[in-house]
Amino acid sequence: MHMKLAFAGLLLLTSTSAVSMAQSAPAKPLASARPATVPAMPKGVEFQPDVAYLPEGRSEKADLYLPQNRARDVRSPAVLIIHGGGWSGGEKRAAREINIGTTLALHGYVGMSIDYILATNGKVTWPQNLHDCKTAVRWLRKNAEKLQIDPDRIGVIGGSAGGHLAAMVAVTGPGDGLDPAEPYGDLSCKVKCAVDLYGPADLTDRPEIRMFGKKLAEAPELYKNASPVSHLDKNDPPILIMHGTADMTVPLEQSKLFAAALAKAGVEHELVIVEGAPHTFHLQPKQKDLRPIVLGFFDKYLKAGK
């Protein structure tokens, strides 16, 4: 399938096809995927739901996944988890995010799964959605002592639109003009590594994306500046990319393009192609258990101290 057609699906863009798909779905609130009660956690995981991490007045919250019974002197690495949903849907407590959060906590990490501003009802949300993600990194540093985390060992992971945001957190800094001024403006938004699960890397392939409030033809530089491939240099942190060959929403070519751009820029990276995997898989799809790869990556860059 041609890249532009394949990329349309779940990204929920404001094209006619995306609007038609959204209208054909059952009318449910965005938070309908969230369990009515706090999900049961495996032994060894402490779950702290709906923690405020944004300024007063913002309704979006975070879920924390922490290893249980840590000694007082332990300082764990932390990983920010960013959900997908085409920048206009999804939420922090979906199955993928629970799977990632519990996996991380069971292996000695503090996971922070966040809600962020969504492009609903015509709202322009770029770059505020990215600012929310970067604020979460700062919040982890601000609360490092209380959470028993090492503020110098923070990574990020996200799927689909969350993969795009995770990549943007990793490859942009103050010089790109995409760091929020506040809150916690004295703290860095920098991460040591990132995992991009089937996220789009070049947004200039799309004629219209809801979060921008403008079409590509109206603001080509806006789409380019929001693309991870536009911000690469040799000082960017290592990035692990994962993508399925049966993805009919974000083309595999997007991740291949990203990997090629990272190679050209001299950024340490790895592209893992999951044969037969569709869009929106977590760390344990039926095609392959990805936990050893993802945990191995985080262990290398967040635990080994490289």
Side-chain angles (χ1 to χ4, degrees), residues 263-287:
K264 184 176 180 180
V267 180
E268 193 167 352
H269 69 283
E270 181 180 1
L271 171 60
V272 175
I273 297 174
V274 186
E275 191 65 36
H279 196 65
T280 315
F281 55 81
H282 51 48
L283 303 187
Q284 294 168 267
K286 66 179 182 179
Q287 291 80 13

Side-chain angles (χ1 to χ4, degrees), residues 34-82:
R34 178 182 298 176
T37 59
V38 172
M41 289 290 114
K43 185 178 180 181
V45 177
E46 177 187 345
F47 183 65
Q48 296 182 11
D50 299 320
V51 176
Y53 78 98
L54 292 172
E56 186 176 352
R58 290 293 301 276
S59 62
E60 296 86 357
K61 300 294 190 294
D63 287 343
L64 296 177
Y65 299 81
L66 305 100
Q68 284 182 338
N69 303 320
R70 288 177 293 169
R72 288 183 176 274
D73 62 342
V74 169
R75 293 295 177 267
S76 305
V79 177
L80 173 64
I81 306 165
I82 308 174

Side-chain angles (χ1 to χ4, degrees), residues 15 43 58 78 92 117 129 134 174 185 191 221 227 253 264:
S15 63
K43 185 178 180 181
R58 290 293 301 276
K92 69 181 184 296
I117 192 168
N129 48 11
K134 286 173 174 268
V191 294
E221 285 302 312
S227 300
E253 284 76 10
K264 184 176 180 180

